Amino acid sequence: LPTSGETPTAQEFGYRIKATQPMQLDILFPGTDQVVKTIFELTPTGEMRLQVAGTKPGEPRPSAFSPDATLLQKVSEVTTLPPNVEVQTIQMQLRQAQQTEGKLNIGSMNRAQQAYYLEQNKFATTISELGLGIKPETDNYRYQIIAQKDSTGNVMITATAKRSELRSYTGAVFVVKAQDNQETLTIAGICETDKPSTTPPAMPKMPSNAQAKIECPAGSNQVGR
């Protein structure tokens, strides 16, 4: 279920039913050859007992219900979704998972750059220096540390999407003065393109102080640190 403020979502799939005992159910995921084979039955009280636990695409169909089989209860005669429900296809879910890779890796490199700066008083110029084991290139993204004019005061890291349906990301770490101007701090941020793009966002604007937020350039939004 969605948390407060989130849009309710539903997943699109097809199905096949065979009237055996117990009844067989094949769950089909559009756009893929994935099939989850399971069983179900209707109870005397009008509930649907569905065997979900232990089922995966390509696995054999269970022959019996386990004690933790899911019980579903009919709550409405309406056969259409409410207007505020977003239907997510398997392709959309796959795309979101692929984009999570880019966002998480940029966040990890941002934090590693902050730690590197504390120890070395400068930023790493290569991904290998960060010691994270992140590859410069994966099936989905190409990662790069881009040197800036003031290489001691800020650093830019990009995740360039290799697939046209994915969004790209830019991470940035800035060195700023604390309120008392007696010490320096590092502030990090991640900018995500507003829509799928194979061009990562430009370098964000440097914050004026430690309390200010990083301003992402036009066409992108801040999605993390």
Side-chain angles (χ1 to χ4, degrees), residues 64-142:
F65 296 102
S66 65
D68 58 351
T70 302
L71 279 175
L72 302 174
Q73 187 176 32
K74 187 175 183 179
V75 296
S76 175
E77 296 288 342
V78 178
T79 58
T80 57
L81 292 172
N84 64 328
V85 174
E86 177 187 349
V87 178
Q88 293 189 337
T89 64
I90 192 68
Q91 291 86 354
M92 291 172 62
Q93 293 181 331
L94 176 60
R95 183 168 66 246
Q96 289 175 351
Q98 292 169 333
Q99 289 177 168
T100 296
E101 174 215 308
K103 186 161 48 177
L104 288 179
N105 280 346
I106 288 294
S108 295
M109 286 190 278
N110 271 358
R111 291 187 291 274
Q113 285 283 24
Q114 289 178 291
Y116 191 94
Y117 185 87
L118 287 176
E119 295 179 0
Q120 306 291 336
N121 203 36
K122 62 180 182 179
F123 292 113
T125 57
T126 65
I127 294 175
S128 60
E129 285 181 284
L130 298 176
L132 297 173
I134 295 176
K135 297 179 180 180
E137 190 165 346
T138 67
D139 290 340
N140 302 312
Y141 285 95
R142 186 177 297 107

Side-chain angles (χ1 to χ4, degrees), residues 8 15 17 43-44 53 69 75-76 130-131 134 136 154 166 174 206 225:
Y15 65 91
I17 293 176
T43 69
V75 296
S76 175
L130 298 176
I134 295 176
N154 53 75
L166 300 181
F174 297 96
M206 184 170 183
R225 302 176 67 181

